Amino acid sequence: MIGSDYTLELCNVFHSGQVEPGSFFQRLTGGVKTGVILKDVSFITHSGEVTAILGSKGSGKRALLDVISRRVPSKGHILLEGVPLEEDHFRNTCAVVRHSTKLLPGLTVQQTLSLSLTKISGYLKSSKVKQVMADLALSQVAHKCVTSLTKSEYRRLVIGVQLIRDPIILLLDEPTWDLDPLNTYLVISILSNVAKKYGSAIILTMEKPRSDVFPFLDRVVYLCLGDVVYAGPTRNLLDYFGSIGFPCPQLENPLMYYLCLSTVDRRSRERFIESNHQIAALVEKFKVEGQGIMQGNPAEHNRIINPNKIQMNYGKPGGVKVLFMLYLRILLSIFNFKKNGLKQMSMRLLSLPFYFCILWIFYNEAKDYQRAFITKSGLIFNAMLGTYFISIMNTICLYGPYRTRYYQESQEGLYSGASLLLAWNMVSLPFSFITAFASAAIIYPILGDITEGMDYVYFALVLWSCYIYAEQQSLAIMMFVKNGLIAAIVNIYITCIYVMLASGVLRSYKGYEEWLFYLTYATHTRYASIFLHRNIFKQPTFNILPYDDEDNCTSITNLIQTSATLNTNSNANCRYASGKAFLTERFTAKNFAGDIYLTGDFNPDFNLGVSFAFSLGIMVLNKFLYLMPLPSYITDKFRE
């Protein structure tokens, strides 16, 4: 157990990695150009201190944070109280906040902070939330939705989500990025107060530090192309550079002046060579004379340490508690009755019934004539296809923020992708069940007798299985594809392929080659379509339907046109003698001869079971997919 007064020390740290962006093919083949990013980096920081890592773009600031957080391999020593800092130890006791971190929309500030605490509850939890909001100047917006916060408030809330866990080390990647001077001052001053109040060591990166934040920085590290130009207390900064011949001019911002001194000048070849030699000399000078400065004067070390500090969220919470908190987080984002919550609620509950209302408008006047076979088969097809597509649309639109949050929090090892999917399914399944049954009730009276309760229930259940299958398919694709539009296009292409192949509506199975016919067995659509069609066309109302009010089809031998009587004098208007005849033509193989109701392929229990087996199977497959380790270049893009 680490006490309230501790030291983080980096000794001779080296890190190599990718130095140029590579193409997808280069990443797969390992042909991306790599090089040394950090070179012999050493510095010390203590609890209660704010340390700023300064440097121009490409100097290695973010790589240094990744090395400290143990996300990337490195050589050298990273010691916490003299003990090597391992990845698991960092995840359990420390935290990282990146400027690209996204919070779940729909939650209030207070709810967001409360859901970040998983180890305590009750009065202690509410007190801690109120305390952190007060420390970060967020009390006035406690009940404000996350999406309506200003940039500064949002940035402070992102910091608060990690700060509420009482990390002993808090790493911040560009916490003042894109903030105006006043809010930059506010954020840095708050971080300074928080570090001293909680006894946390805060390490942050900055690209363009202002002079008014100088008093709030206890230590500063200047990097240039991975080398350390200076690392030590800010109070020694001016004396050190003055002693080696680089005094800061009066009325000049010392932080920016020495940042420019530590930056390669690329305006011309001569300037580049000159500044490169100068920086190399500064690096060597600090290696020789900087060790005493880096340690600082222990007698002057006046950090404010809280000896009674208790780490409120130390360690990793249990799996059941994590699952419950994820479930609660998703529910709260839906049932908050704000803009984002209403959007989620309407998409989950109303989008599919709205589509089925449109179908009802087009098909409501359908009468029981011979064309009813094609009309009602078309209605079944549109109902099934619409369920697939609306499920894809809802998943693409709603799952993205949760996925982004997962990939950001997975760095801390808080929970696995399987836990996120399980929580998502616990919320999504009841909503999809309700919307599927409500939608089926809209069009079922056109297709059959809704008073036949079990037939309606089975019809709705198969539509529900279609919704689940398309949703899980979308979740699988969104594991690899970040862009929502691309993910939707890929999903729709895949869905169109198996719908065209196996629905039996766009093309009869009798027209398939043998290999294509057997390929339909590998699709969810085959079993769902056969079940829905059998559920409707088994009804006696489809026996010997008339062509219209004047033409009857009562003499089956002379009037019903089948594939065997196309060239005879049969009535072309009377094609199907019964629903069984229609099903036989659409869903049987070329040389089929027999009673379709006696074959296993048309067994309703079999088709219903296999439809849900597909949905359950892809759900289980997704759990394993989200447990697979992905290449860093894939996971990193989801965290942005």
Side-chain angles (χ1 to χ4, degrees):
M1 179 70 181
I2 297 174
S4 59
D5 189 359
Y6 49 85
T7 300
L8 174 69
E9 184 175 2
L10 275 72
C11 302
N12 310 114
V13 172
F14 290 82
H15 165 62
S16 299
Q18 179 180 328
V19 294
E20 288 183 0
S23 65
F24 178 75
F25 180 76
Q26 286 177 316
R27 289 168 178 153
L28 286 178
T29 58
V32 179
K33 186 177 180 180
T34 60
V36 180
I37 299 176
L38 297 176
K39 311 166 190 174
D40 198 16
V41 175
S42 301
F43 73 89
I44 295 175
T45 187
H46 302 277
S47 55
E49 289 185 338
V50 177
T51 300
I53 301 174
L54 305 179
S56 59
K57 188 174 182 180
S59 60
K61 302 189 298 297
R62 183 171 295 179
L64 184 54
L65 294 187
D66 289 340
V67 165
I68 297 173
S69 61
R70 316 307 286 151
R71 284 192 60 230
V72 295
S74 62
K75 295 180 180 179
H77 303 283
I78 302 175
L79 307 174
L80 185 59
E81 282 299 283
V83 178
L85 180 61
E86 302 295 339
E87 183 178 5
D88 288 342
H89 190 195
F90 182 90
R91 286 180 171 180
N92 290 333
T93 60
C94 310
V96 183
V97 178
R98 303 189 182 279
H99 78 266
S100 58
T101 299
K102 303 293 182 184
L103 298 176
L104 291 181
L107 299 180
T108 64
V109 171
Q110 188 167 347
Q111 288 172 340
T112 301
L113 291 173
S114 181
L115 289 172
S116 301
L117 270 179
T118 55
K119 297 290 285 186
I120 61 174
S121 58
Y123 174 76
L124 194 60
K125 183 175 186 176
S126 62
S127 298
K128 181 67 176 177
V129 170
K130 291 179 181 177
Q131 180 184 8
V132 170
M133 286 194 297
D135 291 335
L136 297 176
L138 293 172
S139 300
Q140 299 298 320
V141 293
H143 302 291
K144 203 171 180 181
C145 185
V146 168
T147 53
S148 59
L149 297 177
T150 65
K151 285 182 182 179
S152 176
E153 292 166 345
Y154 190 91
R155 199 68 53 80
R156 281 178 273 144
L157 178 58
V158 170
I159 295 170
V161 167
Q162 299 299 337
L163 185 65
I164 202 168
R165 298 175 55 229
D166 285 329
I168 58 178
I169 298 173
L170 180 60
L171 307 181
L172 302 171
D173 179 22
E174 300 286 351
T176 60
W177 180 77
D178 203 27
L179 294 182
D180 58 71
L182 182 60
N183 282 304
T184 297
Y185 177 87
L186 176 64
V187 169
I188 298 299
S189 63
I190 287 175
L191 289 175
S192 178
N193 292 332
V194 162
K196 292 173 173 57
K197 180 176 180 178
Y198 292 95
S200 298
I202 294 179
I203 302 175
L204 57 90
T205 61
M206 297 181 74
E207 193 166 327
K208 295 180 180 179
R210 294 175 54 83
S211 59
D212 52 5
V213 304
F214 187 88
F216 300 110
L217 303 179
D218 300 289
R219 291 177 179 268
V220 65
V221 178
Y222 281 104
L223 290 178
C224 179
L225 300 179
D227 286 309
V228 177
V229 177
Y230 175 85
T234 51
R235 61 177 175 271
N236 296 339
L237 178 68
L238 296 174
D239 292 340
Y240 169 74
F241 278 104
S243 66
I244 61 174
F246 295 96
C248 180
Q250 290 187 352
L251 305 180
E252 190 76 40
N253 174 7
L255 294 176
M256 277 301 298
Y257 179 77
Y258 292 119
L259 176 58
C260 294
L261 188 67
S262 308
T263 302
V264 175
D265 191 342
R266 302 177 186 274
R267 288 178 291 181
S268 66
R269 185 175 182 276
E270 292 74 16
R271 288 175 181 268
F272 176 81
I273 295 173
E274 181 183 351
S275 61
N276 217 5
H277 286 312
Q278 178 177 285
I279 291 170
L282 290 174
V283 169
E284 291 301 319
K285 190 78 171 177
F286 185 76
K287 286 181 180 179
V288 175
E289 301 182 9
Q291 294 302 313
I293 295 173
M294 186 169 61
Q295 297 287 343
N297 187 352
E300 296 179 3
H301 187 61
N302 57 354
R303 305 187 312 278
I304 300 174
I305 302 301
N306 181 4
N308 300 315
K309 175 185 175 183
I310 301 174
Q311 211 157 359
M312 306 294 287
N313 207 35
Y314 188 87
K316 187 176 179 179
V320 175
K321 190 147 193 174
V322 167
L323 180 62
F324 175 73
M325 295 306 293
L326 290 172
Y327 173 73
L328 195 61
R329 177 192 283 181
I330 298 173
L331 275 186
L332 286 174
S333 68
I334 297 173
F335 289 101
N336 63 0
F337 300 106
K338 297 183 183 297
K339 182 180 179 180
N340 187 270
L342 293 175
K343 169 193 167 185
Q344 292 197 54
M345 185 81 74
S346 61
M347 290 189 71
R348 290 179 184 274
L349 290 179
L350 301 180
S351 55
L352 191 61
F354 178 75
Y355 171 77
F356 274 59
C357 285
I358 296 175
L359 291 182
W360 182 88
I361 293 172
F362 281 98
Y363 286 93
N364 185 44
E365 299 299 325
K367 298 186 182 297
D368 289 334
Y369 299 136
Q370 276 287 316
R371 57 181 174 272
F373 289 105
I374 302 302
T375 301
K376 295 191 176 183
S377 178
L379 177 54
I380 293 172
F381 173 79
N382 284 315
M384 190 167 56
L385 187 66
T387 303
Y388 282 137
F389 284 174
I390 288 177
S391 176
I392 291 171
M393 177 191 73
N394 287 347
T395 308
I396 296 293
C397 292
L398 300 180
Y399 182 67
Y402 302 98
R403 177 192 61 182
T404 301
R405 190 72 184 138
Y406 155 66
Y407 278 109
Q408 291 169 347
E409 292 177 335
S410 65
Q411 299 177 87
E412 305 158 24
L414 295 179
Y415 55 88
S416 66
S419 298
L420 171 67
L421 286 184
L422 188 55
W424 172 271
N425 291 332
M426 288 167 60
V427 173
S428 179
L429 287 177
F431 279 104
S432 59
F433 179 85
I434 294 170
T435 193
F437 271 72
S439 301
I442 295 172
I443 66 166
Y444 194 79
I446 304 174
L447 296 167
D449 186 359
I450 200 168
T451 59
E452 296 290 336
M454 290 310 298
D455 286 343
Y456 157 70
V457 170
Y458 289 143
F459 184 87
L461 282 174
V462 172
L463 288 181
W464 186 36
S465 79
C466 294
Y467 192 102
I468 297 171
Y469 184 83
E471 177 185 49
Q472 296 300 319
Q473 174 185 284
S474 302
L475 293 175
I477 291 173
M478 291 181 74
M479 179 185 179
F480 305 99
V481 182
K482 178 184 178 183
N483 185 280
L485 179 61
I486 296 175
I489 292 172
V490 172
N491 268 291
I492 290 171
Y493 266 115
I494 294 173
T495 304
C496 286
I497 290 171
Y498 58 69
V499 165
M500 288 189 293
L501 175 69
S503 66
V505 177
L506 297 178
R507 186 173 180 184
S508 167
Y509 287 5
K510 284 186 179 295
Y512 286 151
E513 296 296 330
E514 187 175 0
W515 70 273
L516 274 177
F517 175 76
Y518 285 112
L519 189 61
T520 63
Y521 283 93
T523 66
H524 172 272
T525 303
R526 173 191 173 92
Y527 305 96
S529 184
I530 289 178
F531 183 92
L532 293 175
H533 279 83
R534 188 188 189 283
N535 179 279
I536 299 305
F537 289 108
K538 71 177 183 180
Q539 301 172 77
T541 55
F542 289 95
N543 292 335
I544 314 179
L545 291 177
Y547 176 71
D548 54 27
D549 291 334
E550 297 179 357
D551 296 328
N552 293 320
C553 299
T554 53
S555 178
I556 298 178
T557 304
N558 295 326
L559 296 179
I560 299 298
Q561 184 187 49
T562 65
S563 57
T565 60
L566 286 176
N567 298 318
T568 67
N569 294 325
S570 59
N571 188 344
N573 294 330
C574 301
R575 185 176 181 86
Y576 304 109
S578 64
K580 181 191 288 189
F582 176 76
L583 295 175
T584 302
E585 181 184 276
R586 305 306 301 180
F587 295 101
T588 58
K590 276 183 178 181
N591 302 319
F592 176 81
D595 189 340
I596 59 170
Y597 290 162
L598 299 180
T599 63
D601 286 356
F602 279 79
N603 184 296
D605 295 334
F606 170 76
N607 286 302
L608 179 64
V610 175
S611 294
F612 274 96
F614 266 88
S615 301
L616 182 61
I618 193 172
M619 198 179 293
V620 174
L621 176 63
N622 279 343
K623 301 295 186 294
F624 286 102
L625 282 178
Y626 273 77
L627 288 174
M628 287 171 49
L630 292 176
S632 59
Y633 69 85
I634 292 180
T635 56
D636 286 345
K637 70 180 181 181
F638 285 113
R639 297 182 181 121
E640 299 174 357

